Amino acid sequence: MAPRNIIIDTDPGQDDAVAILLALASPEYVNVLGVVAVAGNVPLDLTQKNARIVCELAGRSDMPVFAGADAPMARRLVTAEHVHGKTGLDGPPLPEPAMALQEQSGVDFIIETLRTEPPGTVTLCPIGPLTNIGIAFAKAPDVVERVQEIVLMGGAYFEVGNITPAAEFNIYVDPEAADIVFRSGVKLTVMPLDVTHKALTSQAWVDDMAALGTETGRMVSAWTDFFERYDMEKYGSTGAPLHDPCVIAYLIKPELFTGRHVNVEVETQSELTRGMTVADWWGVTDRPPNAMFVGGVDRDGFFGLLSERLARL
Ligand code: RIB
Ligand code: CA
């Protein structure tokens, strides 16, 4: 089967970095057409720099990296340095990227790619706030029906929120953009905290990464070592939740995941529940299902895939 054409929309972020590495290590499954940075975990000037650092780490300084939106569609930017550190990629010392940022705006790259690639052949993989996708759909409504699928990391239902009691960070930062995406009618697969909180690293796995003896292994072990401390303090869990790599792993091995096709809507009005993803898991409304809402993962299979793939870089 031919590899799937994807655009990764990202706010690196240690877990974003692992997701990008997994994608670039899997060219027989995913063909990354471009990486578009968005403001999220840290401001845009850092997320675009971090995206270039990660592509270079994977030996892909040829990968087109774009800067997208520097603020949500209708709100002030909320960032997450308390989770990811000041650089967004805290943990190891970071190199200065040598590769250039593309001139074209990330939003225009998304629009142009969807207009020039055959309809139904490009999957969007947002793993940060949905601002770039929301703006692209608002600016160029003609591209919506040309999207093959959106596989995103965001939202929460049974797992409740991680930035407020009700909302997961990516959706909370830009609920208006998320609302556009969830109402768009595009085929939607959602990796919420319900599943990503089951994709927890173990010390053995982090040690295995360091034992690879590669720069990738060293960076990934240092990133996941740093990234886990927030969740350990907050949830008392051991291990870092690899939220964003779930999106790429799903494209490579969907059988690792289980979910339910349900209606999901995004709260944009209430300040108390802003950004909550309201999943009609039990079908108690007549709202039409619009998303595959994933809740289960074969954890060993997931980390086995990650180890096998990251060892290739
Ligand atoms: O809530 C988890 C999400 O927020 C992940 O994408 C992480 O990188 C942060 O962006
Ligand atoms: Ca992210």
Side-chain angles (χ1 to χ4, degrees):
M1 195 165 75
R4 197 191 278 229
N5 289 330
I6 71 170
I7 294 174
I8 298 176
D9 195 280
T10 178
D11 64 336
Q14 291 87 350
D15 59 320
D16 300 70
V18 178
I20 295 167
L21 291 172
L22 176 58
L24 296 180
S26 309
E28 60 277 52
Y29 292 93
V30 290
N31 174 36
V32 183
L33 300 176
V35 176
V36 181
V38 67
N41 285 323
V42 287
L44 180 66
D45 63 325
L46 287 174
T47 56
Q48 58 88 344
K49 176 181 174 186
N50 292 345
R52 289 183 287 144
I53 289 172
V54 177
C55 288
E56 286 187 335
L57 176 63
R60 291 299 308 278
S61 55
D62 63 307
M63 176 58 60
V65 175
F66 303 82
D70 62 3
M73 292 182 82
R75 306 220 182 212
R76 195 178 46 77
L77 176 62
V78 172
T79 53
E81 287 87 348
H82 61 291
V83 179
H84 299 272
K86 201 162 169 26
T87 70
L89 286 180
D90 279 23
L94 296 173
E96 274 304 308
M99 66 185 282
L101 183 70
Q102 297 294 310
E103 288 291 313
Q104 185 181 30
S105 87
V107 170
D108 288 344
F109 168 73
I110 292 169
I111 292 170
E112 182 185 284
T113 304
L114 288 169
R115 282 180 174 159
T116 49
E117 293 295 329
T121 64
V122 177
T123 291
L124 303 180
C125 299
I127 51 179
L130 291 163
T131 312
N132 291 333
I133 318 283
I135 294 172
F137 284 7
K139 187 175 174 183
D142 60 289
V143 305
V144 175
E145 63 185 12
R146 300 176 70 90
V147 179
Q148 178 179 26
E149 182 176 9
I150 294 175
V151 185
L152 69 88
M153 190 280 140
Y157 189 60
F158 295 105
E159 191 68 4
V160 298
N162 61 358
I163 189 76
T164 73
E168 176 277 329
F169 178 78
N170 287 341
I171 309 300
Y172 175 79
V173 168
D174 199 336
E176 284 70 26
D179 191 41
I180 289 171
V181 169
F182 278 77
R183 290 182 186 281
S184 68
V186 173
K187 183 182 177 188
L188 195 52
T189 298
V190 179
M191 294 286 163
L193 297 180
D194 302 58
V195 66
T196 67
H197 275 177
K198 295 170 183 166
L200 294 175
T201 60
S202 64
Q203 192 54 54
W205 187 82
V206 173
D207 294 345
D208 284 350
M209 284 294 107
L212 285 176
T214 61
E215 187 61 3
T216 294
R218 195 178 67 78
M219 296 292 270
V220 167
S221 62
W223 280 329
T224 47
D225 225 22
F226 177 89
F227 184 51
E228 77 168 350
R229 80 205 185 327
Y230 173 76
D231 284 76
M232 285 176 80
E233 281 161 27
K234 178 172 180 177
Y235 296 105
S237 61
T238 50
L242 290 191
H243 307 288
D244 297 337
C246 288
V247 166
I248 307 301
Y250 175 80
L251 296 176
I252 299 170
K253 270 191 162 181
E255 64 274 18
L256 292 175
F257 298 90
T258 55
R260 187 179 289 186
H261 195 232
V262 295
N263 176 271
V264 181
E265 296 200 4
V266 177
E267 175 59 62
T268 58
Q269 302 306 310
S270 153
E271 271 318 299
L272 178 64
T273 55
R274 156 193 168 175
M276 180 177 182
T277 45
V278 181
D280 185 4
W281 189 260
W282 304 110
V284 295
T285 74
D286 57 1
R287 295 197 291 256
N290 61 336
M292 173 53 76
F293 202 76
V294 178
V297 60
D298 166 357
R299 187 197 167 283
D300 292 343
F302 173 75
F303 280 97
L305 172 68
L306 261 181
S307 297
E308 185 248 324
R309 291 278 146 182
L310 294 178
R312 295 168 171 222
L313 295 177

